[in-house]
Amino acid sequence: MLRYVLGRLPSALGLLAAASLLIFWLMRLVPGDPVDTLAGPDASPEARAAIRAELGLDQPFLAQYVDWLGDVLTFDLGRSFVVGGQVSDLLAAGAVNTVVLTLTALALAVTLALVTAVTAVVAQRRWLDALLAGINTVALAMPTFATGLLLVLVFAVVVPVLPSGGTPPDGFVARPDIALQYLLLPATCLAVPVWAGLSRFLTEALRSQLRQPYVTTARAVGVRHRRIVLTQALPNALPSAVTVLGIQFGTLLGGAVLVEAIFTWPGLGRLIEEAISGRDYPVVQVLLLLSVAIFVVTQLVTDVVHAWLDPRIRIGGAA
Amino acid sequence: MRAALATPKGVAGLVLVGGIVLLGVLGPLLAPYSPTQQVPGANLVGPSAAHWLGTDDVNRDVLSRTLAGIRVDLLVVFLAVPAGAALGMLVGLVTSWWKVTDVLTQRVFDLVLAFPTLILAIALAAVIGPGTTTIVLVVVAIEVPVFGRLVRTSLRTVREMPYVEAAQVVGARPWWLLRRHVLPNSLEPLTVQLALSMSVAVFIEGAMSFLGIGVKAPDPSLGSLLKDGTRLMYDAPFLSLGPLLVVVLLVLGLLLLAQSLSEAHRD
């Protein structure tokens, strides 16, 4: 198992290194000079040069890159060009909101997907299958911004029962009931496409498990359908479902940018949007790198969980 | 493929996509106003005979803007996606012929696919600035690795086939093999992916214009209309309903086409 994980590390690290170089280079291509933003229009050439030197922008490209990489690796993320605060503080504040939002959405999507897929396969009703397949296709066809807009329209404008945006004023811990009201719409919005993809895949995987010879054997000895689904088909379908969830998780980050914009949720998605329009290099670079790092780690975790659930990989050490 | 499109799903998909394409193409003839024209006295009026979808806060007719907005999505769906697909297939085919270029290209594809789509879009928009061209470039950049991968997989599968080895033994040229064996065998998964990618392209246009890094004001697109709808939600909740319906029906049509094609492929 450990060897299996270690075997995946070099390519993951290589991908991260290449991504960091690409990101750093991309940010140097962005038109406009951050010195302009900082120094203001009336700054003297000497003042501008001083700012440039202070930020290290007068160094050659590779020197700046190595310098930045060293800082990132030692978690010295520097100061924001525009807001002025420490990048790490900005990140920490946004990360809390985004993590709460995405984890709630993920929990919602996984629970609902398990419930709908298992119910459909256990019940074996034609009308239920058709209904769920229909809802599923429509959910897949709803872009995140459309879902969000519709949710706000229905639950905050036409029938004003939930807040249309923002984070709970008392935080997530002090008043969990109020926090839940604020979380419900954005988390649902983020969960819809994940639920749709996962439940569609899981239903299909469960059905294909039910066609396996071992299920025929179980039926022959008189095991009930519900029991076969829950104790035989589901455990066998889970490993590949985890892989699908891993892929879905990647789209969750992109979705968070939209959901945070619609629901004015001050998380990492809003931060990257604002940082790019303000040409705040230090913030943008770290956020882009973070998104790739999350992708790489998700892939690793997905592989590990997949291996852990699938004894053929866990014991064999190779797949 | 013809059989796939004759299924209920296929027909529904064709009708939805075909209908919206027609609306977009005939848009300038059907639209009662120009998309940027400001109608005197019609500020945020609700749906009526004169303005079927109402007017926005600067007196523009939303129906006319929606019809014009569809054209942006048609450009992205029917130009950017096929262009990205063609380029991706070309790159995939050429580079997978030699080991070194193959490994290198796959690593580059890995790198592009490691960025969440929308975050890549934001980064590219920061470098080249917002606009319709940016949307097209983002779609192409995302589709090249997708189709490059796809064509490489079919290429490798086909190359292992005994009949291809036989053809190579009797001296078939690579180009002939491609045309005669590789492309026909990849056709089915390619059409499915094409339909899926087209639905993703509608998402990307919408998301980018919604965030303000897509089409430039005052030009409309389906995404920018939804952005306006969100901004004016409390004053005129009806504004976004028309464009919302068009976006969802367009994606739904493309998804139904993809589903009917992939189900026919599986049987």
Side-chain angles (χ1 to χ4, degrees), chain A residues 41-64:
Chain A
D42 306 323
S44 65
E46 292 78 30
R48 294 174 57 92
I51 292 176
R52 192 174 295 278
E54 193 198 322
L55 296 174
L57 292 175
D58 53 347
Q59 301 287 316
F61 173 79
L62 266 179
Q64 286 187 41

Side-chain angles (χ1 to χ4, degrees), chain A residues 31 145 150 152 164 200 276 288, chain B residues 119 122 126-127 207 234 244 259:
Chain A
F145 49 89
L150 212 56
V152 178
S164 68
R200 157 161 284 180
I276 283 185
L288 285 176
Chain B
I119 290 176
I122 296 178
V127 176
Y234 286 94
L244 190 86
Q259 279 183 14

Side-chain angles (χ1 to χ4, degrees), chain B residues 8-245:
Chain B
K9 273 185 186 173
V11 171
L14 276 181
V15 169
L16 285 174
V17 176
I20 292 172
V21 169
L22 265 183
L23 281 181
V25 172
L26 300 179
L29 299 174
L30 300 171
Y33 301 92
S34 119
T36 50
Q37 182 184 346
Q38 298 178 312
V39 188
N43 190 257
L44 287 173
V45 298
S48 63
H51 306 281
W52 289 7
L53 297 177
T55 57
D56 65 10
D57 57 335
V58 284
N59 301 14
R60 292 175 303 197
D61 180 58
V62 176
L63 175 65
S64 308
R65 286 180 71 71
T66 308
L67 288 171
I70 292 175
R71 296 169 80 92
V72 176
D73 283 71
L74 294 188
L75 177 81
V76 174
V77 167
F78 293 107
L79 191 97
V81 175
L87 191 60
M89 285 166 62
L90 189 68
V91 171
L93 284 175
V94 172
T95 56
S96 65
W97 211 261
W98 300 278
K99 182 101 176 115
V100 182
T101 50
D102 184 47
V103 171
L104 266 176
T105 316
Q106 292 308 313
R107 287 292 159 273
V108 174
F109 286 173
D110 279 341
L111 186 61
V112 176
L113 294 174
F115 288 88
T117 307
L118 196 51
I119 290 176
L120 187 71
I122 296 178
L124 282 182
V127 176
I128 46 186
T132 313
T133 326
T134 314
I135 307 179
V136 171
L137 285 178
V138 168
V139 170
V140 169
I142 287 160
E143 295 309 337
V144 164
V146 170
F147 282 88
R149 278 273 163 82
L150 195 68
V151 86
R152 175 178 179 264
T153 313
S154 357
L155 184 68
R156 293 176 80 93
T157 323
V158 175
R159 260 169 113 178
E160 313 262 299
M161 294 286 172
Y163 63 82
V164 174
E165 284 179 7
Q168 274 178 316
V169 170
V170 295
R173 299 253 175 89
W175 191 242
W176 186 86
L177 281 176
L178 275 183
R179 231 168 8 119
R180 189 79 182 74
H181 293 303
V182 178
L183 286 181
N185 274 297
S186 342
L187 203 59
E188 296 278 358
L190 280 176
T191 47
V192 174
Q193 185 57 51
L194 206 57
L196 279 178
S197 293
M198 285 176 167
S199 70
V200 173
V202 179
F203 277 44
I204 295 175
E205 183 284 314
M208 287 181 68
S209 299
F210 192 88
L211 291 175
I213 53 174
V215 293
K216 277 183 245 169
D219 289 336
S221 80
L222 294 175
S224 77
L225 288 166
L226 290 179
K227 179 192 167 89
D228 290 345
T230 311
R231 185 167 52 83
L232 301 165
M233 194 152 44
Y234 286 94
D235 306 307
F238 50 82
L239 269 191
S240 43
L241 294 181
L244 190 86
L245 198 65

Side-chain angles (χ1 to χ4, degrees), chain A residues 40-259:
Chain A
D42 306 323
S44 65
E46 292 78 30
R48 294 174 57 92
I51 292 176
R52 192 174 295 278
E54 193 198 322
L55 296 174
L57 292 175
D58 53 347
Q59 301 287 316
F61 173 79
L62 266 179
Q64 286 187 41
Y65 171 72
V66 171
D67 196 32
W68 172 66
L69 200 63
D71 286 348
V72 169
L73 290 177
T74 51
F75 292 100
D76 175 11
L77 301 180
R79 300 177 74 81
S80 158
F81 282 175
V82 178
V83 193
Q86 291 289 329
V87 174
S88 45
D89 295 341
L90 284 173
L91 275 185
V96 171
N97 288 329
T98 299
V99 166
V100 170
L101 178 64
T102 39
L103 286 188
T104 314
L106 203 62
L108 202 64
V110 172
T111 317
L112 278 180
L114 277 173
V115 169
T116 47
V118 170
T119 312
V121 174
V122 166
Q124 290 181 298
R125 293 278 181 281
R126 221 163 235 264
W127 64 267
L128 184 66
D129 291 347
L131 180 72
L132 283 176
I135 297 177
N136 204 293
T137 306
V138 174
L140 282 175
M142 294 284 292
T144 305
F145 49 89
T147 318
L149 182 55
L150 212 56
L151 284 173
V152 178
L153 265 181
V154 174
F155 294 105
V157 179
V158 180
V159 194
V161 285
L162 289 168
S164 68
T167 38
D170 302 326
F172 296 108
V173 190
R175 293 291 303 272
D177 52 326
I178 293 183
L180 206 62
Q181 287 179 15
Y182 277 85
L183 262 170
L184 198 56
L185 290 185
T188 308
C189 183
L190 201 51
V192 166
V194 182
W195 167 79
L198 191 61
S199 82
R200 157 161 284 180
F201 178 85
L202 200 56
T203 314
E204 208 42 57
L206 285 174
R207 293 226 169 95
S208 89
Q209 284 298 326
L210 289 181
R211 289 192 288 269
Q212 299 291 319
Y214 74 86
V215 171
T216 315
T217 312
R219 286 201 204 287
V221 294
V223 185
R224 281 167 171 254
H225 178 65
R226 177 204 295 257
R227 206 179 143 81
I228 292 176
V229 172
L230 289 177
T231 63
Q232 307 289 325
L234 189 59
N236 278 309
L238 276 185
S240 43
V242 168
T243 309
V244 170
L245 187 64
I247 296 167
Q248 297 272 342
F249 192 79
T251 65
L252 221 54
L253 285 173
V257 178
L258 281 171
V259 171

